[in-house]
Every structure is written in structure tokens, then in C-alpha cells.
Amino acid sequence: MMEIADFDSLRRAMAENSEEPEGPARNARAEQLLAEAEKLNIPLAVIEALGHQLKVYNYSSEKDKMFVPFARLLRMWDERPEDFDEYETHSLHWVFKWMTAGMLDQPHIPLASIEKWLGEMEHRYRLAGHSERAVRGAEFSVAGHIGDLARAERAYAAWLAADRDRMADCHACELHGQGGWHLRNGRDAEALEVWGPVLDGEYSCAHEPHTVLASSLVPLLRLGRVEEARAHHLRGFRLVRPMESMRGAYADHVEFCALTGNEARGLELLAERPAYFTDTGQPRSRMDFLAVVALLMDRLTVLGLGGQRVPGPAGRAWTAGELAGHARAEALELTARFDARNGTSYVGDQLRERMAQQPLADRLPLGVRAARTAPAGPVVPVAPAHAPEQSEQPSLPALLAEARRLSDTLQPHALEAWAAVAEAAEETEVDTYVRAEIADHTAMGRGPEGVGLFERAAELYAEAGDEGEAIAARARAAYVRALSGELAEALAAIDEPYDRILALYADDSTGVRQTASVLMSRARILMRQVHERSEGAAEAEQAVRELLALVGGRGGSDVRLVSRAAEGRAMLAELAEHAGDGERAGELFRQASAQFVGAELPWFAVEYEVRVAALAHEQGDPAEAERALRAALEHGGPYVEPVGRAQLHLQLAEVVGGRGAAEEAAEHALEAAHWADEAGESGTLGAWARHQLGGFLLRQGRFAEAAEVLESALADLSAETHGDGAVVQTQWWLGDCLSELGEHHAAAERRLQAAEIARHWPEQHDHATLAHLAAESLGNAGLPAEADRAYTRAGELWREMGNVHFLVRSLRARAWLALRTEAGTEGARKLMADAVRECESALEGVGDPAAAERLAGELGHTHRQFGDLLARSVPEDADDPAIQEAFEAALAEMAAAISVFATLGEDGLHGRTAAELAAGWLEADLSRPAAATARARAVLDAYEGADPADETVRARRAEARQLLEPTEE
């Protein structure tokens, strides 16, 4: 900890403390620094330390501590205003606004005191010559808080009418408040329009766009703009997460989860901030937080998860039901205190309305991983609003008729309908044929365990006099044996049913349905033989064609026969694929799909469209793959299992992304992540989907959203399951996102982690690139020594691979870093000279003209940067001869750059003009106006007749004219 010996060391210590994370530790340090300031016996030191204390209290959960240091500051101002410098005078008046808002947040402070304070603020602002804008803004906040909407409207109008001056809140904060007024009056769209400049990044501050993003969530949901709401949640929560002082905005994100079917993520958010349940420094934000906790717990209870363990106040275990009651009681107690202070019921009315909200979306996929809500201990079920009486249950005949209808038309859920028949039949006598049907359909749902039941069904069908259906049941038993790995037994078992059904059919003793069923079972068994043993293809094809000959043209409205024909055609497709005829296979699969769709059985077409997509991918036909995958999703509808939906969306994301449609690809990756979570595959398929989603969001420049998703993916990605390439790529993308967000230290960590994995790969290009990027991030993070080491490692790798371009760039980067390290100017010059030599040496040995041009361009840029470095490395206190020497050396490098770029013709034009202009400014600094003018005119001449719409051309011409102005004067 820095020792405070004088005023300068105090200021450095306060600056360092300002950079620390929000929270009690930072606040405690500010209190220590005030004590140290008092020892210096310098009034301004105490004033600055009190101001620092005020600031850290305001940006923390201990806002209630602000009033004491401010009262002391105000007393010091009244006694000796001359002790305040200009900055501290401004700060004192600025903090008046914090005091007004802070008093509103504390229900123990009487409303009369707040009104008196508002008058005091107005008086002092008038004395100081400030506009009424900040005062009217504060009055608007007071009136809005207590529910005096008429006064709030007047204050709002006066606020906007008053002139903006130095005391006005920043544009971002003002727009937040103005949008909030629209929101309070039910004007969601208008609120979002007002917030637009903040959401778009035009205005920002320490708390914006953090709070606007949070405030926008519910109105966006109400307007149906769910994609924007999702994006604002991911982007906004990332901003709010590290800031302890933003409990109110944090609560908005928890509320969003509760209203969008993301209860599990809401619980994760609560678990991240246990102190928010109990921190008492700002009662109003605690009240808001507890209200949304109650809302979230109520949602869990409605879902039947009232007994689930949930995060709550420390000291005991909580279930959702218990925490709901606790949070509601605590929130209402705080509300009662505010309403008692204000003399209205407005705060309580607003809070009760918030807690009573109903979901605005059944489930809005977010892309980030959240453990599924599931019971952790005894679940307290919620009774249905109206439990049906026993007499309302369908009768057995009705159940039987519905089951037969569903199975005859091959509808989904037919097996569930037969299960209901079976349950009802346990309590009454049914005839033998019904018992056969029950056994038959029960066997269909048993998989490998269904053989015995099929045999029993066959016995019952025979007993009931339906020999054809008995044979079909035995054929189904044989097929189940094949599925269970008993292929030889299945082949032996199918012969007798096959012979008997053909004999019966020939004698008109059974129908086409039963015959087709046996032929299909036999064809399926023979196809298993082809797939498992790669033999019997001719026999299988003959069996399939025999089936098609039986059912072809005889389906009509009998969907069972149509489905037999469609499946038979798909079997021919499989045989064509097995024979290596992918084109024929694809055509047959498409025909099978079309038959199922034509029979209004589209869910059966899904498998075949997926097969078409795979074949199209192999044949290099992405358009057909995309068509087939879209068809599969459309045909499957709600009947595709969650894991299947996840796989389809993920495949489609890859295909669509491959043609550059990153936005649509992201939508499919998002859906894939959602359905993978629903399937319980978050850690496998879901992680891969999030990996892809993050990449597509990054491609769109949505860096904050991408970072949140990629961090979520990394929690589950593993080299063992997904491959180390996926882990490296995710770290790489995340590093890119963090770099764009200005989180350079974190970006460096991700890039170094990825580089460490890539270090073990045979091909080292990725390792070198990641080391280079990590060095860049370390430099941007203010860690020049660490950056130099990373660039050195990258340079060694580039040299080993013979990549001169990146070797030279690493040397140039190290040269610039050297100016910030002990190596200093001399070290920087040596590194830049090394870069020049590497380029020149490579040029001497290159034979390819195109490669020579690229190297020449690199050499030109190196000379140019060398010149810049020499010019900028001169200390501010250097004498004139030293400055002239450095500028002359820099000018020589610029001249070398111009000469090199000139050899490249049109390709080197922009490089040459940039060097000419840099040289011109150096000539001007060396008091050589004629030379400077000549260089400026050379640039203008170079762009004679150039495209005026070209941004580079416009910029260079403008700079050349700027250079001409002083020299012509």
C-alpha cells in the first residue's frame, strides 16, 4: 500500500483506489486516505479526499454514507470557499444532485427535509450562476417518486426547457430519465426512441448504457421485439455484472429472466450476488431487487418447483416457495416505509404491480447456458385449477376408437393412446382381438424387449381368427431380433412368415395391409444385413421391389400403404448410396420424402431430407443441403425430438453461415443451443452450438453478446469431447471480442490460453498468430514488458516458419514498446533497424515478382514507421540540436519509404503519399517551408484525376492543403 508522504502521493493513491472494483474494500481505503489527508494540514487535500470518499460511496452499495462527508464539505465551503479550487468548486455543486437522489432512496429521511434540500440546491445554483436545468431535473425525480404526476409533468417540461450548462447531467443520463417518463406513462415505443442514442453508443458514461439497456428489457418484450430484448440482456448484463452499485439494473435482468421462461438463468444471477439480498445502504434498490426475487420464485412455484433449493440470503437453505414469501414480505415492508414517508401509496402500487406480472414469453432462448430448472429435494406440486372428475374420463370404447384412428393413420402419439387403452382394459373384460392389439402396440414401444410381446400378440390374433395379422406380428418380432443384433436368428425367423403370408394372400385369405407388413419386415431385415455385413444387396433390392410391386398404386387414401411405398423407395436410396451412386440415392430419398408429405405424414420425411442434405454436402452442393435441412425442419414441426431439432438447426447454421449469412446462421445456432439444453445436452451439443453462435455474433460485430455466449460455451467445451481445435477457436474468438470491448487484459489471457494449447500442434501458424495477438493485447493493457516477451516469442515462431512479414511486424511492435520500457530510445531504434534489415535481406533472395512486391511494401511501411518512431522519441525537454538531429534522421527514413513505395506504382500510391505528408510536416518543423510546400504539392499532383469519393484520397488531399496553409503564409 502506498505511503502518503505528501499531497502528490495522496492524489496518486486516490487515483489508484478509483481504479479498484466497487465495494466495501474500496470504500474503506477512501476512509483511510481521508485520515491521511487530514495529517497533511492542507485544506485542499482534505477537500479532495472528501470528494473521493463521496464518489466511491456513490458507486457502491453503501450510498447511505454519502451524507456525512458532503455535509462536512458544504460546511468547509461556507466557512472558507477560497480553499476550493475550480475543479472542487464544480464538484461540490455537482454532488448536490447525488444528495437529492440519495435522500429519495432512504425512507428514514422525511419528505420535508428533501423538499428543503431541493430549495437549498436551487438557491446555491442561482448564486453560482448555474441554469435551473439540474434543479428542475431533481424536482422531477422527487415528484415522480411520490406519484405527484402533475407536478412531475411541470418539472419535466421545465427541465427540458432550461439551458444545458456544466451542472446538467450528461446526455446519456438525461435521456435515460426522459425515456423513463415515457415508460411510466405507458409509452414504450417513445421511451425506446428517446433511449436510441444511448443504446446506439452515441452517448455514454459510467452508468450508461448499462441502465438504459436494463430499463429497455420489459418494454421491448411488451412490444414483441424479443430479438432486441435478448441482445440487450446479453450486452447489458455483461456491463452490470462487475458493478456492485447497480443492484437496480441487476434486478431488471433478473425480472427479464422471470418473464421469458429463463428461470434457471435467473437463479444463476441470484447466486452471483448473495449480498444483494441483505445490503442495506440503498433501501430503494434493495426493495426493487426483492420484488423481482419474489416474481422469480412465484414463477418457479407455478411450474411446480416450489420445493426446489434456490440461492437466497446467507445463513440458511431456501426453497423457492420459502424465498418467495420472505422476499415479498421484505419488499412490502420497505414499500410501506417509503409510502409512509411520502404520504402516498404510489411506491407500493408500483411494486405490487411489478410482482404480479405474468410471463411475456413462454421461453426466449438466450444462447447462454443455464442449468435446467429441476427439483432439488421434495417438489411442492401446484394443483390444477380444475381437476377433472373420474366420470369425465373417456370410456374404453372411446379410447379404443381413438387409438385405432391414430395408428391406422400413422399419427404421432398413437402408442400413448394404446397405453391409455391398456390401462383402461385392466379394469374390465375385453375381447381377444383387443388384447392382441394392446400387446402388439405395447411391443412397438418396448424396442428390443418387445419380442415376447409380439409373439404373444401373434398368439392372440390367431386365437381371434386373424391369421394374417398373427403372421405380421411374428414378422415384427423377427425384425426386432435384427435390431437387437440377432441378425442370423432374424433371417431364419422371417422365412416362415414370409412364405405363409404369400400363400394366404394368393388364396385371398388375408389383405394387402398384412402382406405388406410382412414384406416390409423382411426387407428391413435384409437391409440390416447389407448395413452390418455389407452383403446381400441384390437380395435386399429384390425384396424391396417385391414390396413396391405389391403396394405401388394401391395406396390411395390408405396412408399405411403409402408409407410402405415411401419407405421402400428410401430403402432403394440406401442401396444406391451403398453402391456409391450418391446422385441416384439423393433423388430416391427426395421421392420418398415427397410421398410422405403428399400423404400428410410430413414428420416421416424428416429422416430422408437429412439424408439428402448429407449427400448434397458430400457432393459439394450447399444449396441443396440448405433446401433439404429447411424442409426437414418444416416437415418435423413439433414432432422432432429436442436433440434432433438441435442437430438440424446446427447443421443449417453451418450451411447458412458458409454462404455468409451470419445473422440467419446465428438464429439457427441460437435455436440449436436452446433445443440442446432442452434435450439435456448442454455440455455436449449445446456447447458446440454456443461455440458456433458466438462466432456468428462476432462476425456481425456484436462483440458483447458474442463474449457472453463464448464464455458460456467455454464452461462446457473440452478437448476430449469437442476437440482442442474448438477450444482454441472459442478462446481466440473471445479474445477478439474482449479486445474490441477494450478489455485488453482479459483478451490477453484468453489469447495466451489458446496459444498454450496450439503450442503442441504440429503446424505452428496458429500458435504464432495467437502469441502475436496476445502481445498486442498486453501492450494495450499497459503491460509493455509482458508484451515484449510475447512479441519476442511470436517473432521466433515467424522466423522458424519463414514468415518475414509477421517477423518484421513483431519487431516493429517491439520497437514502439521499447519507448515505454527500460530499453528506451536506443533499444527502439535498434529493433526498427533490425526490421529494416530483415526486409532487405528477404528481398535479396526472393525470386517471385509478386512476393517481391509484397516485401517491398512491407519495407516501405517499416521505413515509414521508423521515421515516425525517431520523430516521436525526442524528449520534450531536449535541446534544439538533439531535436534537429532526430528529425533529420526521421526525414531520411521517410525519404527511403517514399523511394520504396514509388517502385510499386499504383499499388504503392497511398503509402507514398502518407510518407510524403509525414516528411512535409518534418520539413515544416525544421523551418523549411519550400520543401514542405513541394511535398504537399507532390501529394496533390499524385491524386490528380483520382476518384473524389475515395476516403483516403479525400483525407490525403485535405492534409496536403492543411500543410500548404502555413507555408504559403
Side-chain angles (χ1 to χ4, degrees), residues 62 519 860 884:
E62 298 180 308
L519 294 184
Q884 180 162 354

Side-chain angles (χ1 to χ4, degrees), residues 250 253-254 257-258 262-274 277 289 293 296-297 300 305 308-312 318-320 323 370-374 376:
Y250 201 98
H253 287 279
V254 176
C257 294
N262 287 287
E263 294 84 5
R265 178 162 171 83
L267 293 177
E268 291 182 356
L269 268 55
L270 296 186
E272 285 191 31
R273 284 290 186 182
F277 288 98
F289 180 76
V293 170
L296 177 61
M297 296 306 120
L300 289 170
L305 299 169
Q308 176 169 320
R309 292 285 179 83
V310 294
W318 295 89
T319 65
L323 186 57
R372 298 176 69 195
T373 46

Side-chain angles (χ1 to χ4, degrees), residues 661-679:
E663 187 171 348
E664 185 186 352
E667 293 172 4
H668 287 294
L670 177 67
E671 287 294 322
H674 165 68
W675 289 111
D677 290 345
E678 289 295 303

